[in-house]
Amino acid sequence: MDDENDLNVAHVLVLPDRDAAEEAAEELARRYELGAEPEIVRESLAGEDDAEDAQWLIVLSEEAGEFSAGELDEFVSEWDGWHETP
């Protein structure tokens, strides 16, 4: 099934705030030699209008490389975040 909205997302790292997401994306690109920082996306929590009530996501596409779930769990925990596989 071809879905034009399929972004080939392999991993999502969830961070508690924008600063943490930006720091983690920068470190992820440096540590894993990605060449470019991964995409950061703001995700509003359901029913919340306040900008403070948001999670920040780092989206790693399949093209970014292969990562183990454990490796990403450990990495993102440095910023009080967690790893999800979509």
Side-chain angles (χ1 to χ4, degrees), residues 41-80:
V41 178
R42 179 181 178 271
E43 179 183 62
S44 298
L45 300 177
E48 300 295 337
D49 294 327
D50 188 353
E52 295 297 316
D53 295 321
Q55 295 174 331
W56 291 83
L57 312 176
I58 297 175
V59 179
L60 293 172
S61 68
E62 292 174 350
E63 291 80 31
E66 293 196 22
F67 301 92
S68 72
E71 182 177 37
L72 289 174
D73 286 335
E74 186 176 323
F75 174 83
V76 77
S77 71
E78 296 175 31
W79 289 273
D80 296 324

Side-chain angles (χ1 to χ4, degrees), residues 11 13 21-22 24-30 34-41 57-61 64 67 75:
H11 300 280
L13 306 181
E22 289 175 348
E26 183 178 310
E27 178 62 17
L28 190 66
R30 186 195 67 74
L34 299 180
E37 287 184 25
E39 180 182 6
I40 298 174
V41 178
L57 312 176
I58 297 175
V59 179
L60 293 172
S61 68
F67 301 92
F75 174 83

